[in-house]
């Protein structure tokens, strides 16, 4: 089993046909507060570079990300919560990439 | 020769004669181990990196006391992550994954200074590994997780989740992850893709204070279409259907269209 591009891709593995989801809580008041301090200290920030790029785009923490018509509310305790999030998401493997195919096939 | 933060304690195995310690608490244990032919403290490196006792070598040092590794022998499901300064999230994270059925956490701590490290060390089911030097880039954090995977997790059921990532499994409830692992094992699958969905509060971002409110309550909103297919790339192996995260691309419309990939291989089973 090997990985590439961080953990985004891999080879030598038998991939499950259905993906799962991470509820990602990277954009928080805490990250907003930490950002100037960590930048001054020269250390990396508490958030990932992606999170921090978003926060820089947002400016200060008063901004709301909720947009009517764009946003939705999730009840993570509902049995169909995963289906709600992954609606329309394609299976992980592209068409023609069978279990014996290159990439996600079994390790040699 | 003097021991510093990135070498080993004095002893016959290390050849180090003198060490500077910040306190006396470890003195007796270090003396007792001088002639055991063991290199202490325990350190490990990613299998793909050179073994170097220098900064930026992606070396990890285990911080738990000797014997703590015995927990690895009995753990059925292990969670591996890399944290930096996530003190507010960590209690919720541990509670979430314990409820799903995780027995043991392996955490690479990226020099946290907000109490995250101390909190983790107080937990009975967490093994903490300190990085030798801060690394702001995701590559370092991936390397640390790979190192923990390669050294401790072959043939184990593992979830790769950082502190802000809360896994949503096909079924809900206590032990759901254990059940999902068994199902995937039974089907002969040894990995799963997990898509990252960005969650945010209903109101101003400043209201999402996880010190006061659990993240699932403080940030229950997401983009109605949180993931979008990106058909022009399929990874270096040409097999995976790439998807991107909608929220960062909404916030940064001029970013490269595939910059924020959503998927990662975040679960591996016991059959590999």
């Amino acid at each position: 089993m090997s990985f590439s591009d961080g953990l985004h891709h891999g080879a030598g593995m038998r991939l499950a046909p259905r993906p799962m989801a991470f509820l990602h809580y990277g954009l928080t008041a805490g990250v907003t507060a930490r950002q100037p301090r960590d930048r001054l200290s020269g250390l990396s920030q508490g958030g990932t570079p992606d999170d921090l790029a978003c926060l820089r785009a947002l400016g200060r923490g008063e901004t709301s990300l909720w947009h009517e018509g764009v946003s939705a509310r999730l009840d993570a305790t509902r049995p169909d919560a995963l289906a709600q999030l992954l609606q329309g998401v394609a299976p992980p493997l592209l068409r023609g990439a069978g279990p014996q195919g290159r990439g996600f096939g079994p390790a040699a | 020769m003097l021991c510093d933060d990135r070498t080993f304690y004095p002893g016959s195995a290390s050849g180090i004669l003198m060490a500077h310690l910040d306190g006396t608490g470890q003195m007796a244990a270090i003396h007792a181990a001088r002639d055991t032919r063991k290199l202490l403290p325990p350190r490990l490196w990613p299998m793909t990196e050179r073994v170097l006792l220098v900064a930026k070598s992606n070396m990890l040092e285990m911080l738990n006391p000797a014997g703590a590794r015995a927990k690895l022998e009995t753990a059925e499901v292990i969670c591996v992550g890399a944290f930096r300064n996530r003190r507010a999230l960590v209690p919720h994270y541990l509670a979430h994954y314990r409820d799903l059925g995780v027995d043991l956490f392996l955490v690479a701590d990226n020099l946290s200074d907000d109490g995250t490290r101390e909190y983790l060390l107080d937990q009975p089911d967490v093994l903490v590994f300190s990085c030798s030097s801060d690394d702001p880039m995701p590559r370092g954090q991936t390397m640390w997780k790979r190192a923990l995977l390669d050294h401790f997790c072959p043939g184990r059921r593992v979830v790769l989740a950082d502190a802000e990532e809360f896994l949503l499994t096909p079924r809900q409830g206590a032990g759901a992850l254990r059940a999902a692992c068994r199902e995937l094992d039974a089907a002969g699958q040894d990995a799963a893709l997990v898509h990252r969905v960005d969650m945010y509060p209903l109101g101003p971002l400043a209201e999402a204070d996880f010190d006061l409110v659990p993240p699932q309550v403080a940030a229950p909103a997401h983009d109605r279409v949180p993931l979008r297919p990106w058909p022009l790339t399929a990874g270096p192996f040409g097999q995976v259907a790439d998807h991107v995260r909608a929220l960062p691309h909404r916030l940064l419309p001029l970013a490269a269209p595939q910059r924020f990939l959503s998927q990662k291989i975040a679960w591996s089973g016991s059959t590999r």
Side-chain angles (χ1 to χ4, degrees), chain B residues 74-115:
Chain B
T74 54
E76 184 181 340
V77 183
I78 299 172
C79 192
V80 174
F83 295 4
R84 172 170 167 77
N85 285 346
R86 294 298 205 187
R87 177 64 183 84
L89 269 169
V90 163
H92 307 298
Y93 171 94
L94 295 176
H96 177 77
Y97 282 101
R98 283 170 181 153
D99 186 53
L100 286 179
V102 168
D103 304 299
L104 183 65
F105 298 85
L106 306 181
V107 176
D109 179 56
N110 187 2
L111 305 184
S112 293
D113 58 4
D114 69 341

Side-chain angles (χ1 to χ4, degrees), chain A residues 31-78:
Chain A
V31 171
T32 315
R34 272 200 304 274
Q35 194 180 4
R37 187 198 64 177
D38 279 354
R39 187 183 288 162
L40 283 175
S41 71
L43 289 170
S44 69
Q45 296 89 351
T48 67
D50 287 357
D51 299 334
L52 295 163
C54 293
L55 285 169
R56 278 193 290 275
L58 278 170
R60 301 179 63 184
E62 292 82 5
T63 310
S64 174
L65 294 169
W66 177 275
H67 280 227
E68 283 302 325
V70 173
S71 303
R73 184 172 185 154
L74 179 76
D75 179 357
T77 61
R78 286 179 51 149

Side-chain angles (χ1 to χ4, degrees), chain B residues 9-210:
Chain B
Y9 294 145
S12 54
S14 68
I16 304 281
L17 299 177
M18 184 182 294
H20 169 83
L21 303 172
D22 290 332
T24 57
Q26 297 173 285
M27 192 85 76
I30 292 171
H31 265 292
R34 281 178 74 100
D35 298 318
T36 59
R37 304 292 301 169
K38 288 182 180 172
L39 283 171
L40 297 172
R43 298 189 188 282
L44 55 113
W45 285 260
M47 300 252 183
T48 52
E49 298 278 296
R50 292 178 64 196
V51 175
L52 295 172
L53 292 166
V54 296
K56 306 291 181 191
S57 66
N58 287 320
M59 169 177 67
L60 293 172
E61 174 186 337
M62 187 175 173
L63 299 181
N64 297 76
R69 270 177 294 179
K71 296 167 192 164
L72 279 162
E73 294 170 13
T74 54
E76 184 181 340
V77 183
I78 299 172
C79 192
V80 174
F83 295 4
R84 172 170 167 77
N85 285 346
R86 294 298 205 187
R87 177 64 183 84
L89 269 169
V90 163
H92 307 298
Y93 171 94
L94 295 176
H96 177 77
Y97 282 101
R98 283 170 181 153
D99 186 53
L100 286 179
V102 168
D103 304 299
L104 183 65
F105 298 85
L106 306 181
V107 176
D109 179 56
N110 187 2
L111 305 184
S112 293
D113 58 4
D114 69 341
T116 298
R117 174 175 294 195
E118 291 75 12
Y119 183 86
L120 290 169
L121 283 168
D122 280 342
Q123 306 302 310
D125 52 358
V126 182
L127 299 182
V128 185
F129 299 81
S130 176
C131 309
S132 60
S133 50
D134 170 76
D135 190 336
M137 301 306 293
R139 178 182 177 274
Q141 299 183 22
T142 302
M143 295 301 287
W144 300 327
K145 285 181 277 192
R146 291 285 311 277
L148 295 174
L149 271 181
D150 292 341
H151 283 273
F152 299 118
C153 304
R156 314 297 292 270
R157 293 164 172 154
V158 181
V159 178
L160 290 155
D162 294 334
E164 67 277 10
E165 295 176 332
F166 287 52
L167 186 68
L168 190 61
T169 48
R171 292 179 197 161
Q172 305 293 311
L177 181 57
R178 247 172 227 256
C181 285
R182 291 194 192 110
E183 286 176 16
L184 291 168
D185 279 356
Q189 291 140 0
D190 52 17
L193 275 189
V194 182
H195 288 283
R196 208 161 88 165
V197 174
D198 294 286
M199 306 299 292
Y200 48 85
L202 301 172
L205 194 62
E207 288 179 2
D209 189 343
F210 302 148

